[in-house]
Structure formats: C-alpha cells, structure tokens
Amino acid sequence: PPPSPGSAPTRGGAGLVVLLVFDQLPSWALDKYGAALHPDGLFRGGARRGVWIERVSFPYAGTYTAPGHAAIATGKPPRESGVASNQRWDRGRGAVIPAVDDGNSAVFGHPGAFASPSVLRADAVADVLRRASAGRARVVSLSLKDRAAVLMGGHRPAIAGWYDATVPGCT
C-alpha cells in the first residue's frame, strides 16, 4: 500500500525520486477543488502514492522564490542555505544580480548570462542521493525559472534547465 500523507518509505532504496514544487499553489486550493480532479491524476494520485506534506510553514519572514526553493531542497533556512533573496549585491561588479549568477558559469544559449548553485552553503536532497548511491543517481532539475532549477538540483546536477523567453526558439 502507498504511504500515508506526510510519511516516508521505510523499506529498501528508492528507484526514482521525484520532487515537484508548484510555486504559488496553496494546499487549501487542493482541499477546496481537489474533488474535481481525476482520482488517478497528478495531484490526487500522486498524493495517494507518494509523500504529501500539507500546511508547511517557513521559520523566516521573506518567502521569496529563491530562498523558498533552497529551503525545500536543503531543509535549511536562508541563514544556513546561503540564499536570502532572489537577488544579491555583487561588490565586484557593483550591481544587483540574480541569486544564482556567479559571474563565471555560462548559461548555454544565453551569452552574457551566468548561473550556478555556488551560493548554496548546504547540501540539497539531490546531493545526498548522489552520495548515498555512490554517484549512480542522476539529477535532472527543470523549472520555469533559473533559480528554481539551479538551487533544487543541488551542487552537481546532470542537467539544470529552465524556460527562457529571451532565447530565440523558446517562445
């Protein structure tokens, strides 16, 4: 039988781990409208067969996207994850830059753009899985935003990809 909501599997290793984050989707919306969804669909079927955690609270004030994704991926608040906001001040460049812009790791297909998880000061779930599997785990992190894909993929994902409407061919 599937685990009950909020519980974790206790036997054997996982063959596949999927972490889905639906930004801006409150659990109350699923409570209110969930009955209209297919019982074996993504939300209701996934909640029944996987781990469902409701009513999560964050022990910090600023619930911006980047710190939230870092908290989900690492289990750490911003002061421990190293991600305090969606943007940060880069003294060397004298500019406010995206949280994941390291000024060094080029983004494929987007000249002059940079992104890496170097700002993360804590291991993500993906990092722990890779270590526990002796490097056999393959991490693919996909999102609509760079900060979500980069931070949730941990320190060394095989792929971190996101949608970018400014790149020709993405629209």
Side-chain angles (χ1 to χ4, degrees), residues 70-91:
I72 291 168
T74 67
K76 305 289 184 188
R79 72 178 180 277
E80 294 176 42
S81 75
V83 184
S85 185
N86 292 336
Q87 299 176 323
R88 59 189 176 87
W89 174 255
D90 184 294
R91 187 178 310 164

Side-chain angles (χ1 to χ4, degrees), residues 25 36 41 59 69 164 168:
L25 179 64
H69 288 301
D164 186 343

Side-chain angles (χ1 to χ4, degrees), residues 19 27 29 88 102 115 125 138-139 150:
L19 172 61
S27 61
R88 59 189 176 87
D102 68 354
V125 170
R138 299 292 176 251
V139 175
V150 169

Side-chain angles (χ1 to χ4, degrees), residues 6-83:
S7 68
T10 57
R11 293 184 311 251
L16 175 66
V17 175
V18 177
L19 172 61
L20 294 175
V21 176
F22 293 90
D23 218 352
Q24 307 290 323
L25 179 64
S27 61
W28 66 260
L30 295 177
D31 291 342
K32 185 173 181 178
Y33 303 110
L37 301 173
H38 192 282
D40 293 321
L42 177 67
F43 289 106
R44 288 177 64 193
R48 190 177 61 259
R49 292 185 301 270
V51 176
W52 180 261
I53 301 170
E54 293 183 74
R55 312 239 190 286
V56 174
S57 63
F58 294 93
Y60 51 88
T63 56
Y64 301 109
T65 305
H69 288 301
I72 291 168
T74 67
K76 305 289 184 188
R79 72 178 180 277
E80 294 176 42
S81 75
V83 184

Side-chain angles (χ1 to χ4, degrees), residues 89-160:
W89 174 255
D90 184 294
R91 187 178 310 164
R93 290 190 257 177
V96 174
I97 59 171
V100 296
D101 181 346
D102 68 354
N104 187 45
S105 303
V107 174
F108 178 76
H110 201 323
F114 306 96
S116 87
S118 63
V119 69
L120 273 179
R121 294 191 312 231
D123 281 346
V125 170
D127 300 314
V128 175
L129 288 172
R130 195 172 18 268
R131 231 181 357 264
S133 69
R136 291 186 314 275
R138 299 292 176 251
V139 175
V140 176
S141 185
L142 303 172
S143 180
L144 293 176
K145 297 177 183 176
D146 59 349
R147 56 189 171 249
V150 169
L151 296 171
M152 296 201 65
H155 290 100
R156 299 190 64 204
I159 297 172

